[in-house]
Amino acid sequence: MVSNNKPAFAQRDRTWHPKGLTPAYNSSVLRSPKRALLQMPPSLSETSGPVFGHNMLGEHDADMLRNAVVDGDPVGERIVVSGRVLDEYARPQPGVLIEIWQANAGGRYRHVRDGYLAPLDENFSGYGRCLSDEQGNYSFRTIRPGPYPFPNNGPAWRPAHIHLSLFGASFAQRLITQFYFEGDPLIKHCAIVNAVSDPAAVDRMVARLDLDNAVPFDALAYRFDIVLRGRNETRFDTEHS
Amino acid sequence: MKKQLRETPSQTAGPYVHIGLLPDAAGIDVDHHGIAGHTGLNSGTPIVITGVVRDGAGEIVKDALLEIWQAGDDGQFADGHRGFARAHTDFETGEFRFETVKPGPVAWTDGTPQAPHITVMIFARGINIHLHTRIYFADEADANAADPVLNAIADGRETLLAKPEESSNNSYRFDVSLQGEAETVFFDI
Ligand SMILES: [Fe+3]
């Protein structure tokens, strides 16, 4: 029998995150639970989690300009995205697996189910992965994705965005999100963005132009910092007293 | 300790989540490192869990992705990512399938055993923040009766019970309802 010797986590602030039901985003209407979530303290089933190391990564996983090349460079605006993964107590989070997916420069996904009329780019898959380093820093190279239309109470457009999946040290930290690009006029019109109600929270999903990190005559740069749920050290202390 | 930062807000995984998380399913050929469909746990009783995810209209959701995380048959969590698996709901049938072993008991916060269970996270278009639930086993009646989480559920605990399939040994059925009469119990843990 295992004892619960790992620290627990503070509760998620579910008014900061999007609610399940956000009727302006049509797909949420039938896919959001109506019952209240059952609140439970985390046990080892949630305070533990899978650990992914460098053996999980392919050689070019963090270089989406290279990882699907057939006969040339992908079409689009070359960018470097970098940032730092911290927890809610501002502690760096090393070894976080970041899985990335996005549309190509024309707003088309390389996915058997995407039928948007913009063309595929044979040199770009939109798939990537990286791990945060000891200081929590991460970086990947890609092209800036295009906006694309989606059905939502009639036709609607997604702002340019990149999807990120994050694995911290525990399953309780699991998070999937998207980031947007500073200055994109579509952000404020998007029902998926606006599922997040607090403007300060929306602002946290916007990557900033990062000219200091631009690669001269090669790639522009954007910065996107990430915060994962923090371990509740207070609880840790009382459990061991 | 006082929180200094707020968590990055969640956003839906959208309909093309497979590109990043199950690239084979999207039609992208990259090494998947063995996390698709199988937890990599081999010691103990092998089991298969299949099911579908339904929306509030009873329609089968064909673009969902599920992740599971569990202890081995000794109740211990393995190192690395053994104990973890991902599966998507089939684009045609809507069915997901996991192969693993029956988990052993994991301690509750007070050290007493919980009934065997598997942690489940569900992602899909229309799900703004992932849904968290557990698979318990209908054939573990005694352990389930003493489980602190199941006993905290006023209504709907049967939605967390995987049912043994009559047709085959060690196969279980676990259907999820995102909304509606048979709505699955979801957690805020
Ligand atoms: Fe998208």
Side-chain angles (χ1 to χ4, degrees):
Chain A
M1 179 60 49
V2 188
S3 69
N4 183 9
N5 58 1
K6 289 203 176 174
F9 284 77
Q11 282 225 311
R12 273 201 155 112
D13 181 351
R14 290 185 182 264
T15 62
W16 175 256
H17 285 289
K19 290 200 221 15
L21 176 62
T22 51
Y25 172 31
N26 191 43
S27 293
S28 77
V29 172
L30 290 172
R31 294 184 170 196
S32 48
K34 293 207 162 146
R35 267 204 270 245
L37 301 177
L38 184 72
Q39 297 200 343
M40 297 301 295
S43 72
L44 199 55
S45 293
E46 295 82 28
T47 59
S48 61
V51 176
F52 302 99
H54 283 277
N55 58 358
M56 186 75 186
L57 301 184
E59 194 186 346
H60 298 297
D61 275 5
D63 189 357
M64 295 157 74
L65 297 181
R66 279 277 155 274
N67 71 12
V69 160
V70 174
D71 61 2
D73 289 317
V75 173
E77 189 179 321
R78 299 158 66 84
I79 61 171
V80 175
V81 178
S82 58
R84 199 166 185 209
V85 189
L86 301 173
D87 74 0
E88 291 168 295
Y89 302 103
R91 294 174 293 208
Q93 302 293 293
V96 174
L97 177 69
I98 303 176
E99 293 168 288
I100 304 154
W101 69 103
Q102 65 168 88
N104 69 21
R108 173 80 182 270
Y109 282 96
R110 182 174 291 280
H111 189 290
V112 291
R113 306 266 282 180
D114 187 7
Y116 180 35
L117 54 78
L120 286 169
D121 178 346
E122 65 170 349
N123 294 309
F124 188 75
S125 67
Y127 156 89
R129 288 180 185 190
C130 61
L131 274 180
S132 64
D133 69 13
E134 282 306 303
Q135 287 76 45
N137 293 306
Y138 77 92
S139 179
F140 63 92
R141 206 162 74 130
T142 187
I143 54 99
R144 178 172 167 149
Y148 61 82
F150 75 113
N152 185 48
N153 304 313
W157 288 84
R158 296 299 329 275
H161 62 275
I162 294 180
H163 297 263
L164 298 180
S165 160
L166 298 142
F167 268 100
S170 115
F171 223 41
Q173 291 180 302
R174 189 81 181 88
L175 183 69
I176 283 185
T177 190
Q178 307 178 28
F179 73 82
Y180 306 93
F181 292 83
E182 180 181 2
D184 187 336
L186 287 170
I187 294 173
K188 68 171 183 286
H189 298 288
C190 178
I192 292 175
V193 174
N194 291 331
V196 174
S197 56
D198 186 333
V202 170
D203 190 60
R204 289 283 307 286
M205 303 190 294
V206 178
R208 306 288 159 196
L209 185 67
D210 183 14
L211 280 177
D212 289 344
N213 260 326
V215 184
F217 304 104
D218 181 337
L220 262 178
Y222 284 86
R223 180 162 185 98
F224 184 66
D225 293 324
I226 297 161
V227 177
L228 298 181
R229 213 172 154 190
R231 288 197 189 91
N232 184 345
E233 299 293 358
T234 307
R235 185 188 167 89
F236 181 67
D237 293 343
T238 56
E239 276 180 359
H240 284 73
S241 59
Chain B
M1 251 179 127
K2 205 167 170 300
K3 282 189 204 172
Q4 298 166 48
L5 301 170
R6 303 185 85 166
E7 200 181 358
T8 301
S10 173
Q11 291 273 266
T12 179
Y16 307 122
V17 58
H18 317 85
I19 296 173
L21 303 193
L22 286 173
D24 283 356
I28 296 170
D29 180 23
V30 288
D31 183 359
H32 208 271
H33 304 268
I35 61 174
H38 197 298
T39 57
L41 297 169
N42 295 306
S43 170
T45 308
I47 61 170
V48 174
I49 302 171
T50 56
V52 294
V53 177
R54 288 193 180 83
D55 72 11
E59 295 290 320
I60 291 174
V61 173
K62 295 179 178 173
D63 55 7
L65 185 138
L66 292 88
E67 291 180 344
I68 62 170
W69 171 241
Q70 66 166 90
D73 69 323
D74 56 359
Q76 307 276 345
F77 288 92
D79 294 331
H81 55 77
R82 272 190 312 132
F84 174 76
R86 262 181 197 151
H88 70 99
T89 59
D90 186 89
F91 298 144
E92 304 301 326
T93 66
E95 194 158 278
F96 66 84
R97 175 188 171 93
F98 286 107
E99 294 178 36
T100 184
V101 299
K102 193 100 170 264
V106 171
W108 180 237
T109 54
D110 63 3
T112 61
Q114 301 178 76
H117 65 271
I118 296 175
T119 298
V120 183
M121 305 245 175
I122 302 167
F123 306 88
R125 171 176 63 86
I127 297 179
N128 285 318
I129 180 164
H130 58 273
L131 297 171
H132 179 164
T133 187
R134 284 181 172 185
I135 298 171
Y136 285 87
F137 298 91
D139 52 8
E140 296 280 349
D142 292 346
N144 291 344
D147 185 81
V149 174
L150 287 176
N151 286 334
I153 300 171
D155 185 22
R157 68 183 256 156
E158 71 286 350
T159 65
L160 304 192
L161 302 182
K163 316 274 185 303
E165 298 266 30
E166 279 169 28
S167 52
S168 71
N169 274 344
N170 298 330
S171 290
Y172 292 86
R173 182 82 187 174
F174 184 74
D175 291 336
V176 174
S177 286
L178 300 178
Q179 190 188 83
E181 299 254 302
E183 186 175 304
T184 300
V185 173
F186 297 107
F187 300 115
D188 183 15
I189 290 186

